[in-house]
Amino acid sequence: LMLIVAAALTATLGLAFQVRQVHVDGTRRFAPAEVEAALQPALGSTSLTLRATDLRSAVLEVPWVEEASVRVSLDGVVHCVIREREPVAVAIDGSAVSLVDRTGHLMGSPRGSLPELEIVDFAPFPEERANLLVALPAIEEAAAARVRRAARMGFCNVALTFDQVPCPILVDPTRPDQLRLARRVLEAWQRDTHAAPLRLDARVGGRVAVLPAPTPTETPS
């Protein structure tokens, strides 16, 4: 009889402390469905045996989650508060498009209002993507202009497109000071030729190569 009573009490307590609901707070740009899916295995488990650290680890696997706190209450609810990553650029690699945060971490498919900066062809080189984003403030300060597009052309070779700069500039992102010289060369070129070049190459220290725009062919009268 005692064994039957103990088994009944155990079953009753198990049902009383069973996880029945997941509650997610902190989402702004993204829908909570992905976080809820990460916590789905907790449903039906006993709250007394669940480890919040394990649930938090599962939530942090969601690509746009930067930080999370998880608490399991005795009333059968998993409470999760997350902090989203902040997108600073759109990564374009062939047909794949993803949001990117300030550390170069890919956050998943674009949604909501998109950043103006595009980073192109860095997929096989995540460390270079991260280094470019770290160097971005110094690059924009040296160029005195906002970067709108950064396309990887090779190792230490990035083609940058700026606001209000009429042509792209090739530069080693680890040497942003070269952009100061590139802007001076561009101003002198436009002053002398009254035209914008097709491209500037500022990858070699102390030098800037200019690719002139083709001269329009005159049509015989």
Side-chain angles (χ1 to χ4, degrees):
L1 181 60
M2 292 296 294
L3 289 175
I4 294 173
V5 172
L9 286 173
T10 300
T12 301
L13 289 174
L15 290 173
F17 294 115
Q18 191 177 63
V19 174
R20 298 181 297 274
Q21 186 180 356
V22 169
H23 185 73
V24 178
D25 281 325
T27 56
R28 296 180 295 107
R29 174 184 296 265
F30 300 89
E34 290 179 72
V35 176
E36 292 169 351
L39 296 171
Q40 193 73 23
L43 295 177
S45 302
T46 303
S47 58
L48 295 175
T49 61
L50 280 176
R51 296 179 57 186
T53 54
D54 293 339
L55 297 176
R56 176 178 177 272
S57 297
V59 171
L60 291 177
E61 292 296 319
V62 177
W64 48 266
V65 173
E66 183 172 27
E67 187 52 85
S69 63
V70 178
R71 179 174 58 87
V72 183
S73 61
L74 294 180
D75 60 355
V77 180
V78 174
H79 301 270
C80 179
V81 179
I82 64 101
R83 183 172 71 241
E84 297 179 352
R85 296 179 182 273
E86 289 292 334
V88 298
V90 178
I92 303 173
D93 298 282
S95 60
V97 181
S98 178
L99 292 174
V100 187
D101 75 353
R102 65 186 182 280
T103 67
H105 179 90
L106 296 179
M107 301 168 55
S109 300
R111 62 196 80 181
S113 58
L114 301 182
E116 295 181 344
L117 174 62
E118 294 181 348
I119 299 181
V120 183
D121 294 336
F122 279 86
F125 310 98
E127 185 174 345
E128 291 185 33
R129 179 174 60 228
N131 291 339
L132 172 67
L133 290 170
V134 169
L136 195 62
I139 288 172
E140 293 184 334
E141 180 184 0
R146 291 282 303 275
V147 177
R148 290 306 181 203
R149 181 180 174 90
R152 187 184 187 276
M153 311 300 290
F155 179 69
C156 290
N157 181 1
V158 178
L160 300 177
T161 303
F162 294 90
D163 268 349
Q164 300 180 345
V165 176
C167 65
I169 304 176
L170 297 181
V171 70
D172 178 349
T174 66
R175 305 176 66 181
D177 282 346
Q178 277 289 103
L179 289 164
R180 302 182 195 277
L181 177 59
R183 289 302 304 267
R184 292 200 297 270
V185 169
L186 176 61
E187 290 169 5
W189 181 272
Q190 290 183 289
R191 185 171 56 249
D192 293 343
T193 66
H194 305 287
L198 286 184
R199 187 181 66 204
L200 298 181
D201 189 339
R203 290 173 294 171
V204 179
R207 297 184 180 183
V208 176
V210 180
L211 177 62
T215 303
T217 304
E218 293 185 3
T219 304
S221 57

